[in-house]
Amino acid sequence: MEKTTTPKTNMVFAREVKEGLSAFPKHLSSKYFYDEIGDKLFQQIMALPEYYLTRAEYTIFEQHKSEITASFSTPNVPFNLYELGAGDGTKTKLLLKELLKQKYQFEYRPIDISANALAQLSTSLTNELPNVSVRPIQGTYFDSLKEMGQTQEKKKVILFLGSNIGNLNHKLAVEFLMNIAHILNKDDLFFMGMDQKKHPRTILNAYSDPSGITAAFNKNVLTRINNELGGNFNLDNFIHWESYNPETGTAKSYLVSKIAQEVTIDILEQSFEFDAWETIHTEISQKYDDAMVYQMAEDAGLRVVNQFKDANSTFKNYLFTIA
Ligand SMILES: C[S@@+](CC[C@H](N)C(=O)[O-])C[C@H]1O[C@@H](n2cnc3c(N)ncnc32)[C@H](O)[C@@H]1O
């Protein structure tokens, strides 16, 4: 498995935890949810009745797979199919199967921060789709985009599914899209899944299931700090809390300290104070409408050339080129 040339992952994790827990209000990045345990919890989330996103995007691919893959390339033009934040690739496999069926020449290059997710994805692809050529890359979105920009190669199609873009705040999302625009050549394409604004209750329920799986997923960042950085967080002293603002379309996840407490992190040789009911902001899940998407594309130097949706417009996949 290739790795992007980044500073040592644990050092970056430690530095970002120190910054986030020293800030006011406190924050931690959702990219640290994902390790072996986090990946499993996310798979359980995708199967929850409340988590409509995965099923909606899966339906779009089932219904439109031939049109989607036909818009990527033609069988005689070889291309690299990159996927940022590939996860378990359940939905992508529908597209990979269709590309194989139509005899497209492509190499699949899944990118993920989680080495575990990539290893499992590679194994499952070897078993289920042995004819797909797979070359995974471990790293963050931004680092891998930087490296992609430095290599001149054949046509690229970049997938960014599951509304992963929504985990970036607006400024970072536009910066991310600018990076995409920067590395796309004239015939390259960017295909992105974006969850749409809908009844606020439906959105809130998707991130606050009564079975507590989302809460366990959110708390996994604390478990990782305990295991990898020598923290002594007591998970029972925090609750998972979700909010959704229908005006901005922003869902936010928090961990809320139930008591006044002090937590020590050995690697940082530092303690952090929490007041009772103080928050750590851990994740943003932005919801979109067409106006937002087209504006973001324009701001980033991209152009929407097609879009695919499910029957209720729960979720949409947009195809972009450089403007
Ligand atoms: C919400 S899951 C979605 C997975 C898949 N795209 C889907 O639609 O089912 C997000 C995935 O992106 C990866 N990820 C999260 N933040 C990342 C980052 N900053 N850089 C690279 N991968 C990231 C996680 O490890 C995880 O596998």
Side-chain angles (χ1 to χ4, degrees), residues 31 34 42 46 85-87 91 112-114 139-141 161-162 164:
K31 65 176 181 270
Y34 301 90
F42 186 68
M46 289 194 289
K91 291 164 294 182
D112 207 291
I113 195 168
S114 166
T140 67
Y141 304 143
L161 308 180
N164 290 15

